[in-house]
Each structure stands twice: as structure tokens, then as C-alpha cells.
Amino acid sequence: MNRIHSLLTAALLLAAVPVAAQSPLPIVTSFPVGTTTVTVSALANNLVVPWELVWGPDNFIWMTERGGRISRINPATGAVTPLITLADVATSSEGGLLGMVLHPDFATAPYVYVVYNYTENGVYLEKLVRLTYANGTLGAPLVLLGSIPATSTHSGSRLLILPDRTLLMSTGDAQQQSQAQNPASLNGKILRLNLDGTVPANNPTPGSLVYTLGHRNPQGLARSPAGRLYSSEHGPNNDDELNLIEPGRNYGWPNVEGLCDLPAEQAFCSQNNVREPLTTWTPTLGVAGLAYYSSPAIPGWQNHLLLLSLKGSRLTDLALNAAGDAIPARTDYVTGFGRLRAICVSPQGRVYVATSNRDGRGNPNVPDDRILVLENRDFVVTATTAPAAARLRLWPNPARYTLTLERPALAADAVSISDALGRRVQTSRFAAGQMQLTLSIERLKPGVYLVQNGSRSQRLVVE
């Protein structure tokens, strides 16, 4: 699939009426990564402190903004479609609506998990909430974890769902430094929960949500295809950290800043199972969003970590060794756009970066805040999951009145459509030898569905 075709495909994936639609803006700049030229263009402008970017199963970018808004962004046009503004989000300095993640089985479990600050009886707190996506909106909030102490700074918080369907959630120390070492406190930790908010039976400490402790303010979470977990973390005035996350380990704060290189730190590290960071930064950069880059689109970044920074105002390429447990080199890119906070990577290898210049600490320009696209425009996208002849094809997608299916040769005759809760809502059948089938879907409500033909399936968005 070439780039033009992929953009046209993405342009069809608009499931609601957008606001502030725009065409992709011209190239702002470009830079070399090895022999590859990476271009930077602006996708969306005039945002207000984007905090999280997630590449969704609908091939849209899902975004949180610190003030409480959650939106979908069309990666082909930059159109921003608001889904909800959470009324109980309480912003204060660094606090507000923070991290987000989508359920990996979104077609059958249309859940969106978010972390945000709120006020209860005059007390500033933090909670993890599950929202349900239906009919182009988010609703039905369910609090999975609440009443976490918070302040206007050091709240974290990123979310990451693991292949075993457990959820990692990072929390800051909320300026209560000693609580980072208190195993009974939820502050200064990386927590691990089941997706219903309960404690996994195989957590490091039975009955406890604590996965790791000793964190100051973790601002990024990423996982490699090999299963390695990484986190970026703010230091005080020294020693921002990039950590390899291992269950049950202690990451030192506040007793250790950065490496275990002072006598008192060395003693604490040896007695408390401390895992030293893979690399540190002094002066600090204000490290933020983190992503693992596995695409061949930009070969110089393949199997590297990409790290954003706020105060440092840059993207840093962190090369990993083969085992993924050391960083032999790091290279800085993408300066000149101010504070950079959120990052996600598309299946085609495009990198999306959100600025954070309107967060009270930056110097916003007229277009800020904005989302930038970093891409190799010479890269030709090809199907890697299966040859085209072996896939179930359907179009248009999104659809409203009719849907055409094309099955692969020798595939099953039966076709079923299930809603986001896994309920079968429509069935049909290919006639003997028939390769294309057109269905009426007028009675289906707007939402995300799963179309199945034997072992093959495709997601469908109904407008």
C-alpha cells in the first residue's frame, strides 16, 4: 500500500462530524536520520495542553487535553472530533486530565481508561476511570481506583495495558517524598491492576497494587515487542532517568537520585533491591512521553526508544542494545517547537508529537498547541500481517447504509457482525462460489463492530 492509498483509507475513517477540520499543513522542517530524510509537518493546531496521544484501533489518534477534553483526530486531515469533556477534572499547575489507554479488544470491549485529578471536599486527589465508547461519544464513567493523594505537581501519570490484560499506572510522589518508599502508599509507584480495578493475583506483593516503588514523577511508559518495560522519570534539579521496569524492584527515590554513585546511596541500593536507571540527564530535560519504535519506515530509529522532553524541548533517540537493557547511544532531534509532551506511533511508522507550550511554562506561538507528524515520505507501506488475497476486505469503512464484503478464496461462507459488547447483531452468507457480498446495515446504530468470516475478522465503524 503506498502512502497516497493509506491517506485515502484513513480519510474514510471519520465516524462523527468533526470540528476545526483542516488540510495537513506544509512541511515545517526536515532532518536526516542516517540516510533517511524525516520531514516534520503540522497536523492539528490551536489545541490546549495535549497530554496523551494514543493510536486507536479505528486508525485515529485519540487525545487527552489537560483541561478535561478527550477527542479523536483524523490523521489524514487533522480534523478534531471531541468525544467528551469531563466535568470533574480539576486543573492546577501540572494537574488535570493526564494519561489514557484504550482496551486492546476495543471492538468487543470499547473501554477507554483515563487518569485525572479532581477535588473532593476541598481535597485535591487523583483517580483512574473507565469510560465506554458508544455512538460516537464517551460516557458511563466507572471509577476503578480513586482517592489517591495529589498536589498541583508530581501527579504522573501514564497508563499501559500489557498483553496479559493487566494495566500499569504510574503515580508521582505528590510532593510527599517519603511516600515513594512506603509500600502501603499508592504515591511514587508504578501500579498494576486488572482491567476491572482488582489486584492481580501474581503481583510482586500479594494483595498489593504496587508493581514497583521509589519513583519521583514518572512521565512515560513504553513496552518493547520483546516484553521489556521502560519508564521516563523527572529528577529534581539533576538526574532525570530512563528506567528499565522490573516487577518488585525499588527505584530509589528519595534516597537515591540517579545512579547509586554516592556512599549513602550505594548502601541503600544494596539493602533495598534498587534498580539503577539505564541513563540519566543532568541538567534535567523534564523528560516526558516515551515510545518504542519498531517500524522499518525510519531504519535509524528501528528498535529504539523515542523520548520527548519539556524543558529540554527535544526528541531524543535512545539506541538500545540487543538485549534491550542498555543504552549505548542517544541523539537529539526536533528542536525549535518548544515543550514536547505526548507521542504515539502509527502502524505505518509515522511519529505523532504534541507540544505543551500553553501549560503555563512555555512560550506559545500562534499555532500552539499543535500536533506534529514526523515521517519518511519516501517509505512505501506494504501489508505485513497477511497477503491481500488472504484477508477479508470490506468497504466503505466507515459505512452507513450498505457494506460490501470480499472474502478470500476458500474462506467460510458464513458472515456475522457483532457489536462492541460481543453480541451478534446480524448474520449473512456467501452463496456457493460468490466472492463479494453486499449487505444492508441501515438498522445498525452508530458505533464500532466486528465483522467475522470464519477465522478472519475486520473492524467496522458505522456512522
Side-chain angles (χ1 to χ4, degrees), residues 125-139:
L125 300 168
E126 185 167 278
K127 61 183 173 181
L128 169 69
V129 176
R130 190 190 78 186
L131 303 167
T132 300
Y133 181 68
N135 301 324
T137 62
L138 285 170

Side-chain angles (χ1 to χ4, degrees), residues 234-240 281-287 311-312:
H234 286 185
N237 294 318
N238 52 279
D239 293 304
D240 275 353
W281 289 265
T282 299
T284 55
L285 302 181
V287 293
K311 185 170 66 174

Side-chain angles (χ1 to χ4, degrees), residues 97-449:
L97 175 57
L98 308 175
M100 173 177 63
V101 70
L102 276 60
H103 196 294
D105 307 313
F106 200 74
T108 56
Y111 301 132
V112 176
Y113 300 81
V114 292
V115 174
Y116 61 89
N117 295 113
Y118 67 107
T119 301
E120 186 174 278
N121 298 322
V123 179
Y124 202 59
L125 300 168
E126 185 167 278
K127 61 183 173 181
L128 169 69
V129 176
R130 190 190 78 186
L131 303 167
T132 300
Y133 181 68
N135 301 324
T137 62
L138 285 170
L142 176 65
V143 178
L144 300 181
L145 183 63
S147 300
I148 301 172
T151 62
S152 60
T153 58
H154 294 205
S155 290
S157 168
R158 298 285 178 180
L159 299 174
L160 180 68
I161 294 179
L162 303 180
D164 65 0
R165 300 306 190 261
T166 59
L167 173 70
L168 297 184
M169 171 183 171
S170 67
T171 64
D173 67 8
Q175 297 289 2
Q176 303 175 57
Q177 296 184 6
S178 63
Q179 294 305 303
Q181 289 294 324
N182 179 1
S185 169
L186 297 182
N187 289 104
K189 309 294 190 298
I190 293 178
L191 309 176
R192 179 171 176 257
L193 308 84
N194 292 318
L195 293 181
D196 61 2
T198 58
V199 181
N202 59 348
N203 264 7
T205 301
S208 172
L209 292 173
V210 175
Y211 194 65
T212 60
L213 75 163
H215 299 281
R216 184 176 182 269
N217 192 19
Q219 290 283 299
L221 278 175
R223 180 183 181 274
S224 75
R228 294 279 195 182
L229 298 172
Y230 303 93
S231 174
S232 58
E233 182 169 335
H234 286 185
N237 294 318
N238 52 279
D239 293 304
D240 275 353
E241 299 178 356
L242 192 287
N243 286 305
L244 176 62
I245 299 301
E246 298 173 341
R249 298 299 295 269
N250 190 325
Y251 289 79
W253 178 258
N255 303 75
V256 180
E257 298 176 1
L259 302 173
C260 303
D261 52 4
L262 300 176
E265 292 177 334
Q266 291 169 351
F268 183 89
C269 291
S270 64
Q271 296 167 11
N272 292 278
N273 193 30
V274 169
R275 180 62 163 93
E276 287 189 299
L278 299 185
T279 191
T280 63
W281 289 265
T282 299
T284 55
L285 302 181
V287 293
L290 183 67
Y292 187 93
Y293 192 87
S294 58
S295 173
I298 304 175
W301 285 351
Q302 193 169 19
N303 299 319
H304 290 195
L305 291 169
L306 300 179
L307 172 70
L308 303 181
S309 57
L310 297 163
K311 185 170 66 174
S313 301
R314 67 194 69 169
L315 179 148
T316 301
D317 163 31
L318 301 171
L320 292 165
N321 66 353
D325 59 2
I327 297 174
R330 61 193 201 195
T331 308
D332 293 332
Y333 299 98
V334 196
T335 59
F337 295 97
R339 296 164 64 81
L340 306 181
R341 185 185 299 276
I343 183 171
C344 73
V345 181
S346 78
Q348 294 78 29
R350 298 185 186 95
V351 179
Y352 296 86
V353 169
T355 70
S356 191
N357 292 320
R358 297 177 68 181
D359 63 3
R361 299 184 179 181
N363 297 299
N365 294 313
V366 172
D368 285 330
D369 276 318
R370 50 183 166 167
I371 294 177
L372 307 171
V373 187
L374 284 60
E375 60 183 323
N376 173 11
R377 294 192 171 183
D378 295 326
F379 180 69
V380 178
V381 179
T382 58
T384 57
T385 54
R391 297 197 305 271
L392 172 67
R393 298 181 60 232
L394 54 87
W395 68 89
N397 192 5
R400 181 63 192 96
Y401 300 108
T402 61
L403 176 70
T404 299
L405 309 177
E406 181 177 281
R407 64 170 173 168
L410 304 178
D413 294 335
V415 174
S416 67
I417 302 177
S418 301
D419 66 12
L421 297 178
R423 298 172 297 194
R424 187 170 295 178
V425 295
Q426 189 168 328
T427 60
S428 189
R429 182 174 292 274
F430 286 93
Q434 183 184 18
M435 302 307 294
Q436 289 190 3
L437 177 65
T438 299
L439 305 175
S440 171
I441 57 170
E442 288 185 83
R443 67 184 185 86
L444 298 184
K445 296 179 180 179
V448 179
Y449 294 83

